[in-house]
Amino acid sequence: MRTPFFWLAHRFPLERRSLRIASLAALIAAILIILGGGVVRVTGSGLGCPDWPTCAGGSVAPSAQMGLHAIIEFVNRLLTVGLCVVVGWVIITARLQRRQAPEVTRWAWMQFWFVVLNAVIGGITVWVDLNPYVVSGHFLAATGLLTAAAITWQKSQNLDKPQLPAGSRNSRVLARWLLAMTAVLVILGTVVTGTGPHAGDSANVPRMPFSWIWVTLIHGAAALAAFSLAVGLWCRAKRAGEKLLADKTLLFILVFLGQGALGIIQSLTHLPELMIVLHLVGSALVWIGAVRVLLAAEGSHHPTTRIPAMAV
């Protein structure tokens, strides 16, 4: 199908390096969105702008009289604008490749739709006064964006490289279970946060009606299960000579241990704000690691197509 992108790709083709840079920028932006949400939460700025898509009184930007909370929330919204620009950059760069990579392009578009979903849920979050279940959905949508960004980045790195073989059947099964258990861990983390004291605003925001201690213990048990799966996968990959998978899994284990240490410290020190923000960033890195482990276990193929010549 002859689209404007088809015409542009003939006249202004881009090389792989531009796609790798753009996809890395999108991955970093996805992490920054999670970081920004964490800062909003721990500073109690979630309703600093009490309306959406405007801030208050029909104005997009907050007034000086609205205070620091409004500024923090507004800056967080600006991060979303920056994210839209970066994701658009990835899509355009992917479509203008000299040798097209349709799989990378599809995942770049997936990022766009996750940005839209995240923005809509973010607006609903404000409208429902930070309902903890909607806030959890907002974080999970951001994790979906992070997933698409991580896959786009990983696939862009492997373009034009030799096809990576898949791991053994047992390794692939363990990698899938690891990703599934990490997803459970992330979901339980939102429940821990929704039950805990940092509601996202200084107002009387309702919390999830669970015992924070029991939810935290269940979260810890899920973390232990995920860690056990990772160690089992690493041992299996080492024995099978699957070096790439073993290396990716070892990196996941190291990041996971750091994240676990942060979680224990924040629980023992009564949830200080800085530790919570670091733990949120750590959760993003753990999730990226789990996605990369699965991609390494599944192997890779790089469907690329040359741009057909244009008729004169």
Side-chain angles (χ1 to χ4, degrees):
M1 185 169 154
R2 305 276 173 115
T3 66
F5 279 122
F6 179 87
W7 183 87
L8 288 170
H10 274 83
R11 285 158 177 78
F12 309 102
L14 299 177
E15 301 298 336
R16 296 302 194 212
R17 183 172 179 271
S18 62
L19 180 56
R20 294 182 181 117
I21 293 173
S23 60
L24 177 59
L27 180 60
I28 294 172
I31 296 173
L32 289 177
I33 284 295
I34 291 177
L35 173 63
V39 171
V40 169
R41 173 177 285 277
V42 299
T43 57
S45 304
L47 296 177
C49 285
D51 200 2
W52 185 87
T54 60
C55 183
S59 174
V60 174
S63 62
Q65 293 76 21
M66 294 179 68
L68 180 61
H69 291 317
I71 295 174
I72 293 173
E73 168 61 12
F74 179 67
V75 170
N76 185 57
R77 294 184 183 189
L78 288 181
L79 283 177
T80 301
V81 175
L83 177 64
C84 291
V85 173
V86 174
V87 170
W89 176 26
V90 178
I91 293 171
I92 293 172
T93 305
R95 285 294 284 112
L96 297 186
Q97 290 295 292
R98 188 183 302 276
R99 296 180 305 283
Q100 294 184 5
E103 193 173 11
V104 175
T105 303
R106 284 194 295 271
W107 280 105
W109 274 108
M110 188 69 72
Q111 290 184 65
F112 169 78
W113 292 115
F114 269 117
V115 170
V116 173
L117 176 64
N118 206 41
V120 170
I121 297 178
I124 295 173
T125 300
V126 174
W127 291 343
V128 298
D129 296 329
L130 305 184
N131 178 286
Y133 298 100
V134 180
V135 171
S136 294
H138 191 32
F139 180 79
L140 295 177
T143 304
L145 170 63
L146 188 66
T147 306
I151 294 174
T152 305
W153 177 66
Q154 186 68 30
K155 289 186 178 297
S156 71
Q157 302 304 304
N158 292 329
L159 287 173
D160 303 331
K161 293 182 179 179
Q163 181 171 325
L164 300 176
S168 64
R169 180 180 180 278
N170 288 339
S171 293
R172 295 198 306 273
V173 170
L174 280 173
R176 291 166 190 165
W177 273 105
L178 176 60
L179 185 71
M181 185 53 66
T182 306
V184 170
L185 189 61
V186 170
I187 293 170
L188 287 173
T190 67
V191 179
V192 172
T193 303
T195 310
H198 293 284
D201 190 78
S202 55
N204 186 24
V205 176
R207 315 304 295 132
M208 292 182 181
F210 308 119
S211 165
W212 182 83
I213 293 177
W214 276 107
V215 170
T216 302
L217 290 174
I218 294 171
H219 181 64
L224 182 60
F227 179 74
S228 301
L229 283 168
V231 172
L233 176 58
W234 179 68
C235 293
R236 168 69 194 176
K238 290 281 287 184
R239 287 197 304 269
E242 298 164 346
K243 185 178 184 307
L244 178 63
L245 177 57
D247 290 345
K248 290 286 195 299
T249 307
L250 179 59
L251 181 59
F252 172 86
I253 290 171
L254 295 175
V255 174
F256 196 93
L257 287 173
Q259 172 72 344
L262 285 174
I264 292 172
I265 292 171
Q266 74 171 3
S267 296
L268 296 178
T269 54
H270 307 292
L271 305 177
E273 286 81 359
L274 177 60
M275 295 301 296
I276 289 176
V277 172
L278 292 176
H279 196 57
L280 278 171
V281 175
S283 72
L285 297 179
V286 165
W287 180 251
I288 292 171
V291 170
R292 296 186 72 201
V293 166
L294 180 63
L295 292 175
E298 297 290 346
S300 66
H301 62 284
H302 320 301
T304 59
T305 57
R306 289 191 176 276
I307 303 172
M310 291 183 70
V312 179

